[in-house]
Amino acid sequence: MKHIRTTICILLLAAAGACNRGGTTTAESDEAAEPQNLLYGINADDYRTESGEIGRGETLGAILGSYGVTAQAIDRLDRAAKEVFPLRNIRAGQKYTVFIHEDSLYASHLDYLAYEVSLTDYVVFGFHDDSVSIRRDTKPYTLRRTKKSATINSSLWGAIMEQELPYALAAELEDIYQWTVDFFGIQKGDNFTVIYDERFIDDTIPAGIGRIWGAKFAQSGKEYYAIPFRQNGKLQYWEADGASLRKQMLKAPLKYSRISSRFTYARKHPIYKVYRPHTGVDYAAPKGTPVHAVADGVVIFKGWGGGGGNTLKIKHPGNLMTGYLHLSGYAKGINKGTRVTQGQLIGYVGSTGASTGPHLDYRVWRNGTPIDPLKIPQEPAEPIAKENRAAFEYVRDRIMAELNGEVKDEERITQLDSLPLPAPATAEAPAKKAGEEKAGK
């Protein structure tokens, strides 16, 4: 009898252990129960999912209605979504996914609809009994540090496309070098190298680019470095000697165009057929191309300029004035007396006045005398401060080494906020010598 009781106890203990190992009662089982199939932040294993695309003229209300969501619930969602993502912003061609559960009577109920705003951003609309919810989020992505070089045959954009690089790189490089590199003077053989973070969803789907970690642009045999560094709380790009890449004036007031006529005192006018001065630069560009102020200043003229058509004139520090002629229209809020900042939208390319086609006639005066916009001496913005020089050189040396060759992962600059600066050389020398003597003994 005693042996029987002992055997029963052993069997019960073994059964209890088996239950624990089976993962039904221990903390280990709780970990195993965590969702493994997250989709838009939702455990997709709990639902039946269906995906589709917004059709032309189709509304979110119609889609929700087809899944049994009531008109009252859709109205509540419409009002609640205005501050997060207005339903009118739904666009044809964008992907959506619905999450459906079935109740005890096998009736289908839609709990969530996830709408992809872009390749990376999405909105989740939720329906919970008598309430609704809206959540805007971003898909998780990984960053891959990339270094690419390209030689230009025609234009920066052309080189980007030829090398199948992210199109956003062209816009980023133009923004960084807009004060320094003459993109209208690009010549065959000019080249660039750039280090940047590329985003990937699921490690395979390209999803744009992140930070530019450094660049080198060679134009007409001269190299222009772009070194990222944070000064006064603002991340900017600097030349190798610590001078700011930002200058007093932008190289040009618009992008994506070509120079059709240059500064001269003897140009045959295309309409009047006589030789007369053309004290400006003509940028041929499609009608509606954005035009930006090349420097901070105040609008001193807005109106009809005779042969110049719709015209803006802006006064800048240093007795400089710029003019923008033949505009098709002006940006909102631009009036005489308006203060503008460098890079601010001020108008749009047009063909008003004496013009044979859409273009911008851009002019610059100093002390009332016309000067060639392509030959303006550029004064740089504030350089690297003395107290930041050591930190800047630490970043610069590593970025330049990476641009010009290969470096180990641990030697790369991966953050710009708290830099692990080396000790001053004067403090290193004694320590090094003492270490060498100790090793010698």
Side-chain angles (χ1 to χ4, degrees), residues 145-167:
R145 195 179 181 105
T146 306
K147 183 176 82 170
K148 294 292 184 180
S149 299
T151 298
I152 297 173
N153 292 315
S154 56
S155 67
L156 173 63
W157 282 86
I160 294 289
M161 290 187 287
E162 288 170 7
Q163 296 297 318
E164 297 183 348
L165 303 179
Y167 291 164

Side-chain angles (χ1 to χ4, degrees), residues 262-404:
R262 295 176 180 267
F263 186 98
T264 178
Y265 281 97
R267 183 190 73 157
K268 188 175 183 180
H269 196 282
I271 294 178
Y272 303 128
K273 307 302 182 183
V274 295
Y275 285 91
R276 54 165 56 175
H278 180 256
T279 53
V281 173
D282 286 350
Y283 293 98
K287 181 180 178 181
T289 298
V291 177
H292 304 273
V294 297
D296 296 350
V298 178
V299 176
I300 60 172
F301 179 86
K302 172 191 174 183
W304 189 257
N310 293 328
T311 298
L312 275 177
K313 291 183 179 180
I314 301 175
K315 185 178 181 180
H316 309 280
N319 295 318
L320 287 170
M321 182 174 68
T322 55
Y324 311 81
L325 287 61
H326 306 300
L327 299 173
S328 62
Y330 308 99
K332 184 178 181 180
I334 298 298
N335 296 294
K336 184 177 180 180
T338 300
R339 290 190 173 276
V340 296
T341 58
Q342 188 180 68
Q344 181 177 335
L345 177 67
I346 56 174
Y348 306 90
V349 169
S351 187
T352 55
S355 170
T356 58
H359 72 286
L360 175 72
D361 185 345
Y362 169 55
R363 305 195 176 201
V364 182
W365 297 266
R366 174 177 283 141
N367 295 319
T369 301
I371 58 176
D372 188 344
L374 301 179
K375 297 180 180 179
I376 301 173
Q378 290 282 51
E379 296 295 330
E382 180 184 0
I384 291 292
K386 184 178 180 180
E387 61 270 21
N388 293 330
R389 173 59 65 171
F392 168 75
E393 290 179 352
Y394 179 85
V395 174
R396 177 200 63 193
D397 293 348
R398 282 153 181 77
I399 294 296
M400 289 180 67
E402 190 174 354
L403 284 167
N404 295 318

Side-chain angles (χ1 to χ4, degrees), residues 85-160:
F85 187 83
L87 301 190
R88 66 176 181 274
N89 289 348
I90 300 292
R91 295 290 180 265
Q94 296 300 103
K95 180 182 175 182
Y96 68 88
T97 299
V98 293
F99 295 77
I100 301 167
H101 85 274
E102 294 179 344
D103 61 22
S104 58
L105 299 177
Y106 302 103
S108 297
H109 299 273
L110 185 144
D111 282 4
Y112 300 99
L113 183 147
Y115 168 78
E116 294 199 353
V117 180
S118 65
L119 189 62
T120 57
D121 297 340
Y122 63 88
V123 182
V124 175
F125 303 105
F127 301 88
H128 325 280
D129 296 327
D130 293 331
S131 65
V132 296
S133 64
I134 305 97
R135 173 172 59 89
R136 185 161 185 167
D137 212 335
T138 301
K139 293 180 183 178
Y141 59 81
T142 56
L143 290 175
R144 191 177 302 165
R145 195 179 181 105
T146 306
K147 183 176 82 170
K148 294 292 184 180
S149 299
T151 298
I152 297 173
N153 292 315
S154 56
S155 67
L156 173 63
W157 282 86
I160 294 289

Side-chain angles (χ1 to χ4, degrees), residues 59 73 119 174 293 357 413 428:
T59 65
L119 189 62
E174 285 188 338
I413 293 292
E428 281 183 352

